[in-house]
Amino acid sequence: KVAEEKQREEYESKVAEEKQQRVAKLRAAEEENEELKKSLEELHRKESQLVELTDTLQQKTKNEIQLRGELAHKKQQMTIAESNEKHLQEHVASLEAQIDRLISDYEAKLEELSESLA
């Protein structure tokens, strides 16, 4: 009987020890699980931030492309305006020369008329 009781006590001791080990392992697993949940939540937050940043970057890229297109268009308009300005300056110079010739012609004719009348 004593041997059986001792054997039973040893068995209960082993069971209790095993139970404590399992409880400790369970607590450790629960703690790890909580840490993993927190990490997962942090990853979800970072993923959301990344999506927002990606959207912002795409919008900025679209805006930059649009602005580059507008800049190219404005440069083209400036080139055309400069060309038109040059053409108009040449035309004005030509008109000034014509006016100068007409004035000279009229002055010459007036002088001839004045001389023939005198």
Side-chain angles (χ1 to χ4, degrees):
K1 261 187 164 182
V2 174
E4 286 179 15
E5 196 170 305
K6 187 175 182 182
Q7 196 176 17
R8 183 180 166 156
E9 285 176 6
E10 287 177 2
Y11 175 76
E12 287 177 356
S13 174
K14 285 183 182 179
V15 167
E17 186 180 322
E18 191 176 314
K19 182 179 178 182
Q20 286 178 346
Q21 288 175 351
R22 288 184 180 187
V23 166
K25 284 182 181 180
L26 180 61
R27 283 188 187 137
E30 287 173 345
E31 288 174 6
E32 183 181 4
N33 191 30
E34 282 301 313
E35 288 177 19
L36 288 173
K37 282 181 182 179
K38 288 178 184 177
S39 294
L40 184 60
E41 288 172 4
E42 182 65 22
L43 285 174
H44 285 306
R45 276 194 298 274
K46 288 183 178 183
E47 181 183 26
S48 295
Q49 289 174 346
L50 184 60
V51 167
E52 288 176 23
L53 289 172
T54 302
D55 290 344
T56 302
L57 180 61
Q58 287 176 345
Q59 187 61 40
K60 286 185 178 189
T61 302
K62 286 179 185 177
N63 290 343
E64 181 184 353
I65 290 169
Q66 181 181 0
L67 289 173
R68 286 181 187 269
E70 289 175 11
L71 179 62
H73 182 68
K74 295 292 182 189
K75 283 182 179 179
Q76 185 180 24
Q77 286 180 330
M78 280 182 55
T79 302
I80 291 169
E82 288 169 351
S83 175
N84 289 342
E85 180 183 13
K86 183 179 177 186
H87 174 71
L88 289 173
Q89 286 174 345
E90 290 170 356
H91 188 62
V92 166
S94 172
L95 289 174
E96 287 174 344
Q98 287 178 8
I99 290 170
D100 287 343
R101 281 194 303 273
L102 284 173
I103 290 173
S104 293
D105 289 347
Y106 284 129
E107 286 176 346
K109 286 182 183 181
L110 277 174
E111 197 173 310
E112 283 177 21
L113 188 59
S114 155
E115 287 176 2
S116 66
L117 291 176

